[in-house]
Amino acid sequence: MSQVSKHPARPSTPPKTPQATTQQQSRGHSKAYALMASGTMVSRVLGFIRTALLAVAIGSSTTMADIFEKANVIPTIIFMLLAGGIFNVVLVPQLIKASKAADRGSAYTSKLVTLTIVVMGLATVLLVSMAGPLIKILTLNWTAPMIAMGTTFAYWCLPQIFFYGVYAVIGQVLNAHNRFGAYMWAPVANNLVQICTIGTFIVLFGAYGGGNDQMDTWTSDQTVLLAGGATLGIVVQALALFWPLRRIGLNLRPDFSWRGMGLRHVGKLAAWTLGSMMVGNIASLVNSKFVSAASPARLLLPDGGASVPGEQALNTSQLITVLPHSIFALTLATMLFNEFTKAFHEKRRGDIAPLLSRGLRTSAVPIVFATVAFIVLAGPLGRLFAGSSSTAMLQGAAIGQLLLLTTLGLPFKSIHFFMIRVFFAEEDTKTPMLIQTVIATLCVVLAFVAVQVLPATEIARAVALIYGATNVLSAVIAHFLIVRRYGDYGSARVADAYVRIGVMAAASGAVGAGVLWLLGGYDWGFAWSSIGAAVISIAVVGSVMAVVYIILLRLVRSEELEDFLGPLARRIPALRR
């Protein structure tokens, strides 16, 4: 219900002109963008703290870290494998359509939430009962004690699948009603819970000091606190959305009358999306299986293999590189997805190209800078997530190497993400599925070849390089398909923007590298000495780079910088003219 209906205008209030209405909508988009971006940023920063604390508790390139990471990541991948794409993409257009009904979508949403709870509940029970076989299937060359420990962790972590489903469906209901903030801020609660539990773990059981003997002294209390805390965080994340859901006023209730929901139509759309998610996530599971071989290989090394990255180190490097994508590209693309959807429904196909072009060029400002910053700061960033043990420098170097390899594909990851939103907005889920199939198949083939020709200690580095390279390929494929279907979206202008911005970012990176050299970032000096020193080095170098970068863009009067500083979302309505 609008503000006008709640508070009728007084007679003396002049009627709103179309221009005033457009300005009000623009301010609303800007506020929504800022709320979403800030929520994502806070969540990611807390996620960094959580990952850094976990490394203090159990290390990063250690057997226990890899075992826990395996059990804790499986629920996320399986959820995305089963239904993640359906919740995040296919149901948004259906919910938007339902929201225009007389009951604002209350009946449809009640059926959808009920169906989600039933299906995800049954799936979770089945998967928890298969915890042991899942760990065996998804690992390579693990010893019997490692399998047993992984299975125990999995019993505690697999219930997360149900709560991921609840979080996803409620979040998309909120998004369909233009309540974007809660969905982005709920993970903050999750990270706070996990930070508290890991902090408690360190207080009660102490920090990891080095060596590879954690399994010999591990207790049930440690398992409950570490894995149970991880699951509790997801529970809180899901439940946090029910308060804003209630404020929408949909009056949801259990409804098992699923006939008439249009599931046949949704099923046709979901078939391709589910296929895409299955292909992509099966590839992730297979690749993680290959990387898991690093854990038993590490046990055979005389120094405990602190310099050998495994699954925990690889996922940490991806967590770092996904930060700018999540804050800027994902946030902006989420809002643009609704705009794309509305444009297609209202037969305004001519608005698609300007929206896509502006989104790509605007996101280039932070994404390209982040790419260069990650390359310059790979070492200190790795040290930040390497814990406080006697082998922390070696573990940090291992993460830094993976970070360099994955960072190379970062801009292309965001470009591909923007382009794929266009297909989804038109309810074309087949094209993204075909792209995903090509990329996923290539990833698995290349990873399999790497397993055959490289020692297990090098598999994580090989997979990191493969991820970076295939991000480039996926963007190239999406570009050609977009141009073929919708015509040129101003690709030459977009490429020119990336080149110009890239030159400015490289110049700022050169200055930043000089500052980092003075801080001992390239010779095991101050920047490597502790987590605190790494934080200081990152802050100093990052600040210097940012200032130089903005000054350079200002000097060349970059249009993209102006669009970024005044978010694209504020300008979207102008494109409709």
Side-chain angles (χ1 to χ4, degrees):
M1 185 177 295
S2 67
Q3 288 292 334
V4 174
S5 61
K6 288 183 179 180
H7 306 285
R10 288 173 288 186
S12 59
T13 303
K16 293 182 179 179
T17 64
Q19 182 178 3
T21 300
T22 298
Q23 291 174 348
Q24 186 180 44
Q25 291 174 342
S26 298
R27 288 192 295 269
H29 280 300
S30 296
K31 290 179 180 178
Y33 178 87
L35 184 62
M36 293 169 64
S38 60
T40 303
M41 180 176 291
V42 172
S43 176
R44 294 295 179 177
V45 169
L46 291 176
F48 282 174
I49 295 174
R50 175 252 176 204
T51 303
L53 281 176
L54 184 62
V56 173
I58 60 176
S60 57
S61 296
T62 65
T63 301
M64 187 58 68
D66 286 342
I67 293 174
F68 176 66
E69 183 71 7
K70 172 66 70 178
N72 198 34
V73 168
I74 287 176
T76 305
I77 298 179
I78 289 183
F79 166 70
M80 297 302 295
L81 175 64
L82 293 176
I86 299 175
F87 285 127
N88 292 330
V89 176
V90 175
L91 290 179
V92 172
Q94 311 305 319
L95 289 168
I96 290 176
K97 292 177 184 178
S99 67
K100 297 179 181 179
D103 66 348
R104 299 172 58 237
S106 177
Y108 182 87
T109 305
S110 293
K111 298 175 189 291
L112 179 61
V113 172
T114 304
L115 178 62
T116 299
I117 291 175
V118 171
V119 172
M120 297 308 299
L122 292 175
T124 301
V125 171
L126 176 62
L127 290 167
V128 169
S129 68
M130 298 172 58
L134 281 173
I135 293 296
K136 290 181 181 178
I137 293 171
L138 298 177
T139 56
L140 184 63
N141 299 330
W142 275 23
T143 64
M146 294 171 67
I147 293 289
M149 180 60 68
T151 301
T152 302
F153 278 137
Y155 278 128
W156 284 94
C157 293
L158 284 171
Q160 296 173 19
I161 296 172
F162 173 78
F163 295 98
Y164 276 128
V166 174
Y167 166 74
V169 71
I170 299 301
Q172 294 306 341
V173 171
L174 293 171
N175 285 348
H177 289 267
N178 296 318
R179 301 294 194 273
F180 301 104
Y183 191 44
M184 294 297 187
W185 277 89
V188 171
N190 167 30
N191 284 316
L192 287 174
V193 170
Q194 295 200 45
I195 287 171
C196 289
T197 56
I198 296 172
T200 302
F201 181 98
I202 295 172
V203 171
L204 294 178
F205 304 108
Y208 171 68
N212 236 350
D213 58 352
Q214 287 173 288
M215 291 184 60
D216 295 335
T217 59
W218 196 263
T219 66
S220 298
D221 290 342
Q222 289 174 292
T223 298
V224 173
L225 185 55
L226 193 61
T231 298
L232 178 62
I234 305 302
V235 174
V236 172
Q237 174 179 289
L239 296 181
L241 295 184
F242 280 85
W243 171 248
L245 177 66
R246 183 178 179 182
R247 296 186 64 184
I248 293 179
L250 292 180
N251 297 319
L252 302 183
R253 62 195 63 190
D255 189 343
F256 297 89
S257 302
W258 300 327
R259 180 171 296 183
M261 288 182 62
L263 292 179
R264 180 174 298 179
H265 172 66
V266 174
K268 292 179 180 179
L269 298 175
W272 289 108
T273 300
L274 184 57
S276 177
M277 300 306 295
M278 287 183 65
V279 169
N281 286 289
I282 287 175
S284 294
L285 290 172
V286 173
N287 289 334
S288 68
K289 176 185 176 75
F290 293 150
V291 175
S292 71
S295 300
R298 189 186 294 122
L299 298 175
L300 303 177
L301 299 178
D303 61 351
S307 61
V308 177
E311 195 166 353
Q312 166 69 12
L314 179 61
N315 290 344
T316 298
S317 70
Q318 291 181 299
L319 174 69
I320 297 170
T321 55
V322 82
L323 176 64
H325 173 78
S326 298
I327 292 176
F328 303 110
L330 178 59
T331 301
L332 185 57
T334 298
M335 297 187 66
L336 284 180
F337 177 66
N338 282 1
E339 296 297 323
F340 288 144
T341 300
K342 292 176 184 177
F344 280 121
H345 287 168
E346 297 171 7
K347 311 300 182 183
R348 295 183 287 105
R349 293 176 66 93
D351 287 353
I352 299 299
L355 282 168
L356 178 60
S357 176
R358 186 70 68 88
L360 289 172
R361 288 183 288 109
T362 302
S363 64
V365 174
I367 297 298
V368 173
F369 173 75
T371 301
V372 175
F374 287 158
I375 292 173
V376 172
L377 291 167
L381 283 168
R383 178 64 186 88
L384 183 62
F385 298 98
S388 56
S389 69
S390 58
T391 58
M393 287 188 181
L394 293 176
Q395 295 185 55
I399 296 174
Q401 292 166 0
L402 299 181
L403 180 58
L404 281 173
L405 295 171
T406 55
T407 293
L408 299 177
L410 175 57
F412 299 93
K413 178 183 180 68
S414 296
I415 291 172
H416 169 258
F417 188 80
F418 267 97
M419 293 180 173
I420 288 299
R421 298 302 98 179
V422 177
F423 295 116
F424 282 133
E426 199 178 15
E427 298 188 355
D428 172 13
T429 54
K430 180 179 179 180
T431 300
M433 190 271 184
L434 295 177
I435 298 174
Q436 181 66 34
T437 299
V438 171
I439 298 301
T441 301
L442 181 61
C443 276
V444 171
V445 170
L446 292 175
F448 177 77
V449 172
V451 170
Q452 305 307 310
V453 301
L454 296 175
T457 54
E458 299 298 324
I459 298 303
R461 296 184 179 93
V463 171
L465 178 60
I466 291 169
Y467 284 162
T470 52
N471 278 333
V472 177
L473 180 60
S474 64
V476 172
I477 294 174
H479 160 76
F480 283 109
L481 293 177
I482 285 284
V483 171
R484 179 180 179 182
R485 178 176 300 184
Y486 305 106
D488 187 32
Y489 53 88
S491 56
R493 187 181 179 190
V494 171
D496 176 71
Y498 273 83
V499 171
R500 287 187 287 103
I501 292 170
V503 171
M504 302 300 104
S508 71
V511 176
V515 175
L516 183 59
W517 176 77
L518 294 175
L519 293 172
Y522 300 112
D523 57 3
W524 304 106
F526 171 78
W528 290 88
S529 60
S530 67
I531 294 176
V535 171
I536 293 173
S537 300
I538 293 168
V540 171
V541 174
S543 298
V544 170
M545 287 183 62
V547 170
V548 172
Y549 182 60
I550 293 175
I551 290 175
L552 292 175
L553 289 179
R554 286 288 193 188
L555 289 175
V556 299
R557 298 181 179 179
S558 170
E559 175 188 349
E560 292 77 22
L561 178 64
E562 298 302 322
D563 285 343
F564 173 65
L565 296 179
L568 171 64
R570 175 169 54 80
R571 298 172 180 245
I572 289 174
L575 295 175
R576 300 177 184 172
R577 300 175 184 173

